[in-house]
Amino acid sequence: MRLKGLFIITGFLCFTLLVIPIQGASAADKVITLKFANYLPAPAGQSKICEEFNAELEKRTDGRVKIRYFAGGSLLNAPAVIKGVAGGIADIGLSHIEYTSGRFPVMEAAELPLGYPTGWVANQIMNDFYNTFRPKEFEGFKVMWFHANTPSMLMTVKPVRKLEDMKGLTIRAPAILGDVIKALGGTPAPTPVMETYDAIAKNVLQGAFVGGGEAKNLRFGEVVNSITDTWRVGNSYPFYVVMNKKKYNSLPLDIKEIFDALCGEYKERFALMWNAQDFDGRAFAKAKGVEYIDLPDGEAKRWTEAVEPIIENYIERMVSKGFDESEVRGWIKYLREQTEYLTKKQLSLHISSVTGPPELRP
């Protein structure tokens, strides 16, 4: 009996020694690793905030989630991001909808020249529009948050004070921004943004239609002489940060709760970051002697009337795709009303901007 008992005890100890390492390995396997693709270069403000998001997610999940971060297009370039996330090449991706023009037709309503006054308003309105209408075109994704460049401004080699000054100017402006430049009397050129500085310096282009922060970020303040505040017609692109929906659904419930809360926080951080970049851009440009021009109300009205056909063309295009005209006009109405509401909200929050009505200026 003693010998039998000894065998039993020995067997139990051996089983325990075998099981403990296996259990330890199983716990280690529970670490969730996600791949995040971002086409923007690592030094960009947007990229830095994404890095902070990754670190904060790992911290709040006690290391149960780790993110492999691929900035600068090292995993997926801008046009490939959305397809790459859908196909699982990346789990999370950052890009904007104009890199896949026509892929997100409903969301394109939010980039029409509707007069978003500031970067903060533009960022808020992209999220509000999506959350209100939930376009089916994003059904395969978990939308983490939208963000948007500040209203596009005219950075030119010669001053633009009225519509007539646009004649003869070739301006870097792709896609719908190009439609705006054409409507204003200029000639649009879809030049890659990283080639625009040299093109202006060589007078191949006479300017660019971009957010105010690019005066510093892309150093356009070195090669232009004036910046016209065109917020009443300056488009903002809907940028997105999305996750593969199947991957999101596979996350444990407690991880999802942490993830969702963090997305809400970083949506607002992006809004403030984009808004702040205009101040950096203005300081840089003014130090280079660049003149900032505001359009008087009467002149601004001429500009808004000039771009109105772009909005009507969008409505006609969506109707031709099978959407009801009243529905599409409802999107436009919502965006205009929400712009007015958010402008008042920004004022109440005492958030200053470079662009927009005088009461929002510092």
Side-chain angles (χ1 to χ4, degrees):
M1 283 296 289
R2 285 183 180 179
L3 186 60
K4 183 178 180 182
L6 182 62
F7 281 137
I8 291 171
I9 292 169
T10 303
F12 177 78
L13 288 173
C14 291
F15 174 79
T16 302
L17 290 170
L18 287 169
V19 168
I20 288 174
I22 293 172
Q23 288 177 332
S26 177
D29 289 341
K30 290 183 179 179
V31 173
I32 299 165
T33 302
L34 304 173
K35 291 180 288 185
F36 190 149
N38 174 12
Y39 78 95
L40 293 167
Q46 297 85 351
S47 297
K48 289 179 180 178
I49 293 183
C50 288
E51 283 191 88
E52 293 170 16
F53 172 88
N54 299 342
E56 189 64 22
L57 182 61
E58 181 175 343
K59 177 182 176 183
R60 294 194 193 182
T61 59
D62 295 322
R64 291 169 60 197
V65 177
K66 295 183 182 294
I67 296 183
R68 295 177 62 198
Y69 186 48
F70 301 88
S74 56
L75 180 61
L76 295 166
N77 64 21
V81 166
I82 200 67
K83 188 175 180 180
V85 173
I89 296 173
D91 302 300
I92 299 171
L94 182 155
S95 190
H96 72 62
I97 68 170
E98 271 300 338
Y99 278 114
T100 48
S101 183
R103 174 75 167 74
F104 302 107
V106 176
M107 203 67 201
E108 286 177 7
E111 66 178 1
L112 292 169
L114 296 169
Y116 307 146
T118 68
W120 188 85
V121 168
N123 276 263
Q124 301 296 334
I125 210 163
M126 299 301 172
N127 290 284
D128 291 350
F129 181 79
Y130 171 78
N131 290 329
T132 299
F133 296 101
R134 295 284 175 173
K136 292 182 180 179
E137 57 212 40
F138 281 98
E139 277 187 345
F141 304 94
K142 161 66 177 178
V143 173
M144 295 166 60
W145 65 85
F146 281 95
H147 52 113
N149 58 289
T150 55
S152 298
M153 297 163 58
L154 273 170
M155 303 187 183
T156 52
V157 295
K158 72 172 188 176
V160 174
R161 306 182 192 278
K162 56 185 185 298
L163 274 178
E164 290 74 13
D165 295 335
M166 290 292 293
K167 187 176 181 181
L169 298 183
T170 302
I171 305 294
R172 186 269 174 184
I176 194 168
L177 270 72
D179 295 339
V180 172
I181 292 300
K182 188 175 181 180
L184 296 174
T187 301
T191 310
V193 72
M194 299 311 294
E195 298 174 16
T196 300
Y197 180 102
D198 286 341
I200 296 173
K202 295 173 182 176
N203 202 35
V204 175
L205 298 176
Q206 286 76 55
F209 195 39
V210 291
E214 308 309 345
K216 179 181 179 182
N217 295 338
L218 298 174
R219 308 187 76 84
F220 290 162
E222 295 178 343
V223 290
V224 302
N225 296 309
S226 66
I227 296 177
T228 305
D229 185 355
T230 51
W231 66 266
R232 293 172 180 86
V233 298
N235 318 57
S236 295
Y237 282 138
F239 285 73
Y240 56 77
V241 183
V242 297
M243 184 174 184
N244 180 291
K245 198 165 190 177
K246 288 183 180 178
K247 192 70 174 182
Y248 172 78
N249 289 338
S250 73
L251 298 176
L253 181 59
D254 63 326
I255 295 291
K256 284 182 184 175
E257 291 173 352
I258 295 168
F259 187 88
D260 291 347
L262 203 55
C263 287
E265 294 174 25
Y266 275 76
K267 171 183 75 71
E268 183 61 21
R269 287 200 60 189
F270 262 73
L272 294 170
M273 179 275 300
W274 276 107
N275 193 75
Q277 282 196 350
D278 273 6
F279 286 95
D280 294 338
R282 185 177 67 170
F284 180 86
K286 285 198 168 185
K288 301 294 182 182
V290 174
E291 177 188 11
Y292 272 72
I293 299 169
D294 281 311
L295 296 175
D297 290 341
E299 182 62 26
K301 187 173 185 294
R302 296 178 66 207
W303 291 54
T304 56
E305 290 173 352
V307 302
E308 190 64 29
I310 296 172
I311 299 167
E312 290 301 314
N313 288 342
Y314 170 79
I315 294 170
E316 291 177 12
R317 187 167 69 251
M318 294 302 284
V319 170
S320 72
K321 292 177 181 288
F323 290 89
D324 185 84
E325 181 177 346
S326 62
E327 180 184 18
V328 182
R329 291 193 181 277
W331 303 337
I332 307 300
K333 182 175 183 288
Y334 172 85
L335 288 164
R336 284 177 162 150
E337 290 177 348
Q338 196 68 0
T339 298
E340 183 178 353
Y341 164 76
L342 288 168
T343 302
K344 292 176 181 176
K345 185 175 181 180
Q346 179 177 344
L347 185 62
S348 71
L349 293 172
H350 305 288
I351 299 171
S352 298
S353 295
V354 168
T355 59
E359 57 268 26
L360 289 176
R361 311 288 181 93

